[in-house]
Amino acid sequence: KQEVTQIPAALSVPEGENLVLNCSFTDSAIYNLQWFRQDPGKGLTSLLLIQSSQREQTSGRLNASLDKSSGRSTLYIAASQPGDSATYLCAVKGSQGNLIFGKGTKLSVKP
Amino acid sequence: NAGVMQNPRHLVRRRGQEARLRCSPMKGHSHVYWYRQLPEEGLKFMVYLQKENIIDESGMPKERFSAEFPKEGPSILRIQQVVRGDSAAYFCASSGLQETQYFGPGTRLLVL
């Protein structure tokens, strides 16, 4: 049974700092991995999707890497801003098409 | 191009009542997924539907919960005889031929 773990559960950094969020999964037989952002009381916004054959994806200040063999992904956020404050969710796609989520990392960027 | 629409955004029910949650996928998307987010918990998959078909319902509770995605109209998640433990945020996602799932804003169900 696939399990997804995210560490740390919460992170507080000063504005401008570069940071890394971690995601690990127990079954390396994944189709893809997706990073989302969730603001309080809101839905999920897709940030990056990495196919199982890919190693990384970049969008603006965000870079996500995937190491399928070790069951790990990282989300790198450069030059963090207060507007980046949110909960970041990692999800892997199972064999049936559904996503399996971690519990998230709650990020707070202090001005 | 409107995103995934869910209504109502907030729903209050008393124990024993029925709750109906609606999801309209993005235009052109024929795949719909329902997820539940319990307080302080991660999102859990419930059911995956395509038009008029349930593809995977392995995450659905065996009793009181049902889902449909008719040929016309939105997908419906129906919870009969709600209990307090059903209080959660229910999210719908849709996808097309591409892999990315796009999520709606969610319906927050509160059972009194």
Side-chain angles (χ1 to χ4, degrees):
Chain A
K1 179 186 173 184
Q2 178 74 272
E3 292 183 3
V4 179
T5 303
Q6 290 187 247
I7 54 171
L11 181 63
S12 182
V13 300
E15 182 177 3
E17 194 163 296
N18 302 325
L19 57 99
V20 174
L21 307 181
N22 297 291
C23 172
S24 61
F25 46 95
T26 54
D27 186 349
S28 61
I30 64 170
Y31 284 81
N32 62 45
L33 183 144
Q34 208 165 344
W35 282 94
F36 294 88
R37 168 188 174 137
Q38 184 177 27
D39 293 283
K42 305 285 187 182
L44 280 67
T45 301
S46 180
L47 298 173
L48 291 164
L49 182 146
I50 311 176
Q51 299 290 355
S52 61
S53 58
Q54 296 176 322
R55 297 284 292 184
E56 65 178 346
Q57 283 287 335
T58 298
S59 175
R61 294 184 293 109
L62 305 179
N63 176 276
S65 68
L66 174 63
D67 184 343
K68 215 173 66 162
S69 60
S70 67
R72 293 181 183 178
S73 175
T74 61
L75 179 66
Y76 174 82
I77 303 177
S80 58
Q81 303 170 357
D84 295 331
S85 298
T87 296
Y88 290 80
L89 299 169
C90 166
V92 297
K93 185 174 181 178
S95 58
Q96 295 294 330
N98 58 286
L99 295 176
I100 301 161
F101 284 84
K103 291 188 177 183
T105 294
K106 186 174 183 179
L107 173 65
S108 175
V109 181
K110 306 292 186 186
Chain B
N1 184 15
V4 178
M5 311 271 288
Q6 288 188 250
N7 67 81
R9 296 288 303 275
H10 299 273
L11 182 61
V12 179
R13 285 288 179 265
R14 296 191 181 280
R15 281 179 296 170
Q17 291 184 319
E18 178 180 286
R20 280 184 180 240
L21 288 61
R22 296 174 184 78
C23 169
S24 296
M26 286 180 71
K27 187 177 181 180
H29 285 187
S30 59
H31 304 255
V32 166
Y33 308 80
W34 285 93
Y35 296 85
R36 176 167 66 175
Q37 187 174 37
L38 292 166
E40 306 303 321
E41 293 289 327
L43 277 85
K44 301 291 186 186
F45 165 75
M46 299 182 74
V47 62
Y48 165 32
L49 310 103
Q50 293 182 20
K51 284 286 187 182
E52 299 185 278
N53 288 302
I54 296 175
I55 307 301
D56 179 4
E57 56 182 349
S58 58
M60 286 274 273
K62 294 287 186 281
E63 297 177 349
R64 303 187 297 108
F65 285 71
S66 63
E68 62 177 9
F69 189 16
K71 187 176 180 181
E72 301 291 337
S75 175
I76 306 287
L77 179 67
R78 182 184 178 202
I79 312 172
Q80 295 177 288
Q81 300 175 333
V82 295
V83 301
R84 287 199 175 134
D86 296 333
S87 296
Y90 292 81
F91 291 95
C92 165
S94 74
S95 70
L97 294 177
Q98 296 183 358
E99 307 270 358
T100 304
Q101 292 186 20
Y102 296 89
F103 280 74
T107 294
R108 279 146 184 89
L109 172 65
L110 175 63
V111 179
L112 301 177

